[in-house]
């Protein structure tokens, strides 16, 4: 991982655009909140690896959301970090499981029917950690999840 200063909005727009076709197969719309896209927001991140992390998060949002729902992606620039949030209306994660979801090979009880090996969230956390960033989750069973990736602004 080799972080370099880059534009967060342009990066997020590119990732979201690349994920729309796959989401469309499930009739899921990926909406990008454009409120902060005009704000000059740069951060230090490795474009290739952070694309992998954000793609994993969006892919999970699509995978665990019902057909014909919406995945919302937004950016909020803070003084120290740029926050990229991905919010879905999916199955949600219990409070008990939320402590384990970032472990390598962890598969939640509700995730057993979906394809995957349990590396996506672990990989996302590790990529962000190596870039001086971090990831957080807020979730409620049956009401969806919001994952926020924090990129260090330096």
């Amino acid at each position: 991982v080799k972080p370099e200063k880059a534009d967060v909005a342009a990066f997020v727009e590119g990732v979201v655009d690349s994920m729309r076709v796959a989401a469309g197969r499930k009739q899921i719309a990926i909406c990008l909140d454009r409120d902060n896209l005009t704000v000059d927001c740069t951060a230090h991140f490795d474009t290739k690896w952070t694309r992998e992390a954000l793609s994993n998060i969006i892919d999970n949002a699509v995978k665990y959301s019902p057909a014909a729902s919406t995945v919302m992606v937004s950016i909020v620039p803070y003084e120290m970090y740029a926050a990229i949030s991905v919010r879905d209306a999916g199955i949600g994660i219990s409070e008990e499981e939320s402590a384990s979801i970032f472990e390598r090979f962890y598969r939640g009880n509700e995730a057993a029917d979906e394809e995957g090996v349990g590396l996506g969230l672990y990989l996302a956390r590790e990529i962000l950690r190596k870039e001086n960033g971090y990831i957080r989750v807020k979730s409620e069973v049956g009401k969806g999840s919001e994952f926020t990736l924090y990129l260090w602004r330096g």
Side-chain angles (χ1 to χ4, degrees), residues 6-9 12 41-45 74-85 128 133-134 148-154:
D7 182 84
V8 176
V12 171
C41 181
T42 58
H44 295 271
F45 59 97
S74 62
I75 302 166
V76 177
Y78 295 106
E79 185 176 337
M80 300 276 298
Y81 293 94
I84 304 167
S85 292
L128 291 166
Y134 60 100
T148 305
L149 292 74
Y150 291 89
L151 305 178
W152 184 61
R153 295 192 71 191

Side-chain angles (χ1 to χ4, degrees), residues 28-108:
I28 293 179
I30 302 176
C31 295
L32 181 57
D33 181 350
R34 300 198 170 274
D35 285 351
N36 289 314
L37 292 185
T38 57
V39 176
D40 179 32
C41 181
T42 58
H44 295 271
F45 59 97
D46 183 305
T47 304
K48 174 187 166 196
W49 286 108
T50 308
R51 175 179 297 277
E52 182 72 24
L54 182 56
S55 294
N56 282 337
I57 301 301
I58 294 173
D59 183 59
N60 281 351
V62 169
K63 191 185 298 184
Y64 298 112
S65 290
S69 62
T70 300
V71 172
M72 289 296 303
V73 180
S74 62
I75 302 166
V76 177
Y78 295 106
E79 185 176 337
M80 300 276 298
Y81 293 94
I84 304 167
S85 292
V86 178
R87 190 174 68 243
D88 65 52
I91 60 175
I93 302 160
S94 71
E95 193 172 327
E96 297 81 35
E97 283 191 308
S98 65
S100 302
I101 61 172
F102 295 104
E103 292 175 14
R104 190 169 20 172
F105 303 120
Y106 182 80
R107 300 275 295 160

